[in-house]
Amino acid sequence: MHVRTLTGGVAAALLMSMPLLSGQAVAADSPGTSAPSAAAARVITYDASGSAEFRSAVDRGAAIWNESVDGVEMRPAASGQRANVRVVADNGWPRAVTTSLGNGTVYIGREAVNQGYDTVRISSHELGHILGLPDRKPGPCSSLMSGSTAGIACTNPYPNAAEKAEVEGNFGGAAITPYRTPVLVRD
């Protein structure tokens, strides 16, 4: 009997501490309200200090995602804070290397920019990979994740309804399973 009571007490303590150990953000109820509030958006921080001339395009790409979905919010990392996403400029083709959902490195490649592709579309597209979206090639300009197959005339940096819904599903409170190995998505 004593063992069963002790085991039950330990199990109850673990269950009560799970929210503290899991690191998930949950919105607190507003004072004076009786209905529980919705879960807060998961915050993903990004460090664009290495994005060189593409800094404003990266910030705009993050802002587009913030305008488009509720389940996740992308914010610049505070000084000295370790970011979930590192964004760098290089001379290759744009790509994202994800380490898990919401984490990884985005490369804003000058090769595509030099060919005439829009920098804000590139940024928004690559951040879409960080948010769990795959390439959808070939595709129309209305699909952000169609990437380069929409052509250089396409400057649409906004996700379509299906892409928004997929990101909402990825961050809608379900357990997030990290990728087993880093995944390189070359566009």
Side-chain angles (χ1 to χ4, degrees):
M1 179 72 110
H2 178 67
V3 171
R4 190 177 301 172
T5 303
L6 179 62
T7 304
V10 170
L14 285 172
L15 281 173
M16 295 302 290
S17 64
M18 287 298 277
L20 297 173
L21 297 174
S22 70
Q24 288 185 299
V26 178
D29 289 340
S30 301
T33 62
S34 59
S37 61
R42 177 170 170 199
V43 174
I44 294 175
T45 57
Y46 66 94
D47 175 4
S49 63
S51 63
E53 69 269 28
F54 307 118
R55 177 62 186 255
S56 64
V58 171
D59 290 339
R60 184 63 192 130
I64 286 167
W65 279 108
N66 291 343
E67 295 164 13
S68 300
V69 296
D70 295 322
V72 64
E73 180 181 349
M74 302 189 90
R75 293 184 193 159
S79 179
Q81 178 185 18
R82 182 176 173 180
N84 299 96
V85 181
R86 190 171 64 104
V87 184
V88 296
D90 73 359
N91 293 324
W93 194 258
R95 61 206 178 279
V97 178
T98 59
T99 53
S100 63
L101 183 62
N103 297 283
T105 303
V106 166
Y107 297 88
I108 307 296
R110 291 182 182 99
E111 185 177 346
V113 175
N114 292 340
Q115 290 181 24
Y117 289 96
D118 183 73
T119 58
V120 177
R121 180 174 167 86
I122 292 169
S123 297
S124 188
H125 173 93
E126 297 306 334
L127 290 171
H129 289 309
I130 297 296
L131 300 177
L133 298 178
D135 282 322
R136 299 224 165 73
K137 296 179 179 183
C141 185
S142 60
S143 169
L144 175 62
M145 299 315 291
S146 68
S148 62
T149 63
I152 60 171
C154 178
T155 60
N156 170 38
Y158 292 92
N160 64 27
E163 293 162 338
K164 291 176 192 178
E166 189 171 346
V167 169
E168 293 290 12
N170 290 345
F171 291 93
I176 296 172
T177 305
Y179 296 102
R180 297 286 181 227
T181 57
V183 177
L184 169 65
V185 182
R186 185 179 187 279
D187 296 307

